[in-house]
Amino acid sequence: MNLKQWIAGCAGAAALLQASAVIAANVDISAHDIGGQVSGEKGPEAGVWVIAETKDLPTKYAKIVVTDDQGRYVIPDLPDASYKVWVRGYGLTDSAQVDARPGKVVDFNVKPAASAGAAAQLYPGMYWYSMLDIPAPNEFPGTGDKGNKMPDTMKSQAQWVDTVKNGCQSCHALGSRGIREVPKMFSEGHDSQEAWAMRTQAGQAMEYMAVVLGSMGPEKAYSLFAKWTDRIAEGELPFDKPERPKGIERNVVYTEWDWASPTHYQHDAISTDKRNPTVNANGLIYGSPEESTDLIPTLDPVKNVAATIKEPYLDPNTPSSADAPRGTSAYWGDEAIWDGHTSIHNVIMDEQGKVWFTARLRPPENPDYCKQGSSHPSAKVDPQATSVRQLSRFDPVTGKWDMINTCFSTHHLYFGHDANDPLWMSAGGPTLGGGIVGWLNVKQFRETHDGVTAQGWTPLVIDTNGNGKRDAYVGPKDPLDPAKDKRVMASFYGVMPSPVDDSIWGQSMDRGFSRIDQPGYIIRVVPGPDPANTALAEIYQPPEGTFGPRGIDIGLDGVVWTALSSGHLASFDRRLCKGPLNGPSTAEGKQCPEGWKVYRMPGPQFRGLDPKGSANHAYYLWVDRYNILGLGANVPIASANGGESLLALVNGEFVTLRVPYPLGFFTKNVDGRIDDASAGWKGRGIWTTSGTRTNFHGEGGKDAYPKVFKVQMRPNPLAH
């Protein structure tokens, strides 16, 4: 064959390949879809995202899908509007935006990223913050200002990592561009450590950041963070790269709506009752705006309308976040963008569709019925002088509010399963009244509207004398007494009633700044007939080499799940325990190691740390008991804000559902709702919201709104 014949043959083969690609690109779409094919320099681009966004509806709306192995896509069920459509993918430059309406085929030819640095701008934040240097094990415990600049309460490298993740990363995404690049107003005229000191004093969260930094040693923390951002400014890039979505990860459909406002962040959202996910079908989604505002956002996902309702409070002297000390912000100057009195942390829905909030209703001083000398059954056992957050209920039908003035601080909340329809609440942490768990007898409250007699709380007491019942107990700092039980001051942070028995499970974490000498636990509480006096607790430490449980949920099979700040998802099955679960040997919670299984989260690890762990981090997790997402019943789904994704564990393998737009996806929890059980995947989905306190650190800057996200899994990437 001569050269001409070879060239002609190659041209013919190329033409055949091009024709094959055209045939492959034939995508069946309806009048409500946009579809097509994405191709690059080497042919079809598989596993890239196609985004359609519009401002034509009452609130900004977007839908995102992933291309199949031939680069084809279908964005299904779009409301009638004019859309901007574009492509984003690892290794690519974002395509130009194309105007399109439903019913149109739109093909894309995309270009590779201009450089490795440009490509890395699309990586999830954990790839950037895993570049942060972590103090070596031999630097612990801290030796103070005259030594290694870490306090002596910082006892281990694990505690340091846990503090970085749970004290810093849990409120805003460390690896987002707004964090990894220091604003000029802080960097100009200052060295990098000074710049970090200034930026951590900016805005209305400066007091909280000061507490966290104080636990790490501010000078040490500023030094490490400054070196990290200096290296990035000099062009250093992440040492690992993410993979494109593959397999069933390409079946995902994300729908997004703007709600709230650019200055107000959300902690959580709720769509239904966890015990019956058909409650509130097609109804409003409700948010919890924590410190940012008293305006609770709502979203009508059918009419695409975002609105607000205002949370009331009992006392006009209730403090406001607008009064918190603050420094000048690189984004908002001296403006106090948060003005919340009610500090609404979490939100839940009951079987009647009423919405419950853990909310601040008054100043911290408790009423007399909570204190020493009260006749309240729980106050007789463990009087409470203060509480920082209480409880409210909203009836969407009547628009009326109920204010329940709890003696104990509230944080997370979930409904139980017995005839009293109890609402169980965690106390949040040591500074929020740790060492107790509280409840409201909702059946009694509905009958009497008496929130005082319907509430109760109990200390957490371990049966260390091993007789199977609660007796007199020693305090948390006291040595064991063989004749008595022992109280623990574990911070009952997460809370979840078991669906298989009468136990209540919780989770404790030690963030370092808690000043409590305890590891992280999960906690099982059996209330007994008179919970204030009969409740008994069991505590269980995660396996050796893992640490930092955060969040808790339970499947219908009774298996308990938690996320670990060591970079793992973990399960605990008490049925597998072989040894005694009470008695003096259980005081530290090291019994039943056989009950645990751990799964390393995908993603890089901090340099120099055990590769069995991961820099990835999940704020919380949720178990899909009823197969709402379509990946199976009792599948745990972690809110991996380090990976800007939801992580579902399916048959021991992670399915990574990364939300690529806007960059900086950061969520704290999810729930799932069935709107129409007969409609297959289209009649169900899981819901979440932007959970970061700093939406302006992500894509969109000061113009970025918090979003509601609906996540669905279809049978294949081209399904309608």
Side-chain angles (χ1 to χ4, degrees), residues 83-158:
Y83 292 86
K84 299 287 186 182
V85 187
W86 75 98
V87 175
R88 170 169 287 177
Y90 295 138
L92 299 178
T93 298
D94 281 0
S95 74
Q97 296 185 351
V98 175
D99 292 322
R101 298 190 73 90
K104 186 174 181 180
V105 172
V106 182
D107 294 333
F108 290 92
N109 287 300
V110 292
K111 297 179 179 179
S115 65
Q121 301 307 318
L122 296 183
Y123 294 179
M126 65 177 173
Y127 287 85
W128 291 93
Y129 78 67
S130 65
M131 298 163 61
L132 177 69
D133 289 331
I134 304 296
N138 62 8
E139 295 186 59
F140 299 94
T143 53
D145 291 338
K146 295 182 179 180
N148 62 8
K149 309 301 182 183
M150 291 187 291
D152 57 7
T153 51
M154 185 58 69
K155 298 178 179 179
S156 68
Q157 187 184 66

Side-chain angles (χ1 to χ4, degrees), residues 490-689:
S491 54
F492 213 94
Y493 176 78
V495 62
M496 183 56 61
S498 171
V500 300
D501 59 26
D502 60 352
S503 63
I504 312 301
W505 289 79
Q507 156 268 320
S508 158
M509 58 187 181
D510 179 15
R511 292 185 180 176
F513 59 84
S514 69
R515 308 297 189 209
I516 287 185
D517 184 15
Q518 50 113 342
Y521 307 126
I522 62 171
I523 310 161
R524 181 179 187 260
V525 176
V526 178
D530 178 16
N533 294 283
T534 59
L536 278 173
E538 301 164 359
I539 61 173
Y540 299 93
Q541 288 189 35
E544 190 73 25
T546 68
F547 53 87
R550 176 148 195 160
I552 198 161
D553 202 355
I554 307 173
L556 292 175
D557 53 6
V559 175
V560 178
W561 291 89
T562 188
L564 302 177
S565 58
S566 52
H568 300 85
L569 200 59
S571 68
F572 180 78
D573 189 343
R574 187 175 178 272
R575 297 169 298 184
L576 301 178
C577 297
K578 297 176 181 178
L581 300 180
N582 61 0
S585 64
T586 66
E588 294 184 345
K590 295 183 178 180
Q591 74 278 16
C592 194
E594 63 273 13
W596 290 92
K597 291 182 181 178
V598 296
Y599 305 85
R600 183 192 185 276
M601 293 181 187
Q605 173 62 299
F606 295 105
R607 284 184 288 193
L609 270 65
D610 187 347
K612 294 178 183 177
S614 169
N616 207 343
H617 171 255
Y619 183 93
Y620 215 85
L621 83 165
W622 174 80
V623 174
D624 187 358
R625 295 176 177 175
Y626 301 101
N627 191 26
I628 296 170
L629 189 56
L631 296 177
N634 297 314
V635 165
I637 300 174
S639 306
N641 46 37
E644 301 181 14
S645 64
L646 299 177
L647 283 180
L649 186 68
V650 182
N651 298 323
E653 300 291 333
F654 281 106
V655 175
T656 300
L657 303 177
R658 198 257 165 125
V659 179
Y661 172 78
L663 292 171
F665 174 74
F666 183 109
T667 185
K668 291 181 175 174
N669 202 5
V670 300
D671 80 321
R673 186 170 76 187
I674 299 173
D675 293 319
D676 183 353
S678 66
W681 72 271
K682 292 172 68 172
R684 57 186 66 212
I686 63 174
W687 297 84
T688 189
T689 184

Side-chain angles (χ1 to χ4, degrees), residues 27 106 121 154 196 224 232 287 335 341 399 546 595 716:
V27 176
V106 182
Q121 301 307 318
M154 185 58 69
W196 265 94
L224 293 175
I232 290 173
E335 180 185 357
H341 299 79
T546 68
N716 63 73

Side-chain angles (χ1 to χ4, degrees), residues 309-496:
I309 54 177
K310 190 169 184 178
E311 163 84 40
Y313 44 95
L314 292 171
D315 190 327
N317 295 316
T318 302
S320 168
S321 56
D323 300 325
R326 64 183 185 275
T328 302
S329 165
Y331 297 85
W332 307 101
D334 294 319
E335 180 185 357
I337 62 170
W338 300 344
D339 59 357
H341 299 79
T342 49
S343 185
I344 303 170
H345 190 271
N346 271 88
V347 54
I348 206 75
M349 187 175 290
D350 66 22
E351 72 277 16
Q352 298 177 355
K354 293 182 173 63
V355 191
W356 298 73
F357 301 89
T358 51
R360 182 169 58 202
L361 307 179
R362 55 168 171 83
E365 180 74 15
N366 268 346
D368 288 344
Y369 60 79
C370 306
K371 299 178 181 178
Q372 187 78 40
S374 167
S375 61
H376 191 287
S378 291
K380 288 181 178 180
V381 176
D382 194 33
Q384 300 292 309
T386 61
S387 63
V388 299
R389 192 183 283 116
Q390 294 78 42
L391 181 65
S392 66
R393 180 180 73 168
F394 176 68
D395 186 340
V397 175
T398 65
K400 293 182 178 180
W401 287 88
D402 293 293
M403 307 281 107
I404 298 100
N405 196 352
T406 60
C407 299
F408 52 90
S409 295
T410 65
H411 206 63
H412 292 103
L413 71 174
Y414 268 103
F415 285 98
H417 303 273
D418 65 46
N420 289 323
D421 202 16
L423 181 59
W424 290 90
M425 286 158 278
S426 66
T431 58
L432 299 180
I436 61 172
V437 60
W439 66 87
L440 183 77
N441 183 323
V442 175
K443 180 178 183 291
Q444 181 179 348
F445 178 74
R446 287 170 178 158
E447 293 170 350
T448 66
H449 285 273
D450 184 347
V452 177
T453 58
Q455 69 175 281
W457 62 95
T458 182
L460 302 177
V461 178
I462 301 173
D463 180 21
T464 49
N465 67 13
N467 68 359
K469 61 186 181 69
R470 191 163 112 188
D471 306 297
Y473 51 85
V474 299
K477 295 293 186 180
D478 297 329
L480 288 175
D481 182 331
K484 294 182 179 181
D485 293 331
K486 182 175 178 62
R487 181 174 183 176
V488 290
M489 288 298 289
S491 54
F492 213 94
Y493 176 78
V495 62
M496 183 56 61

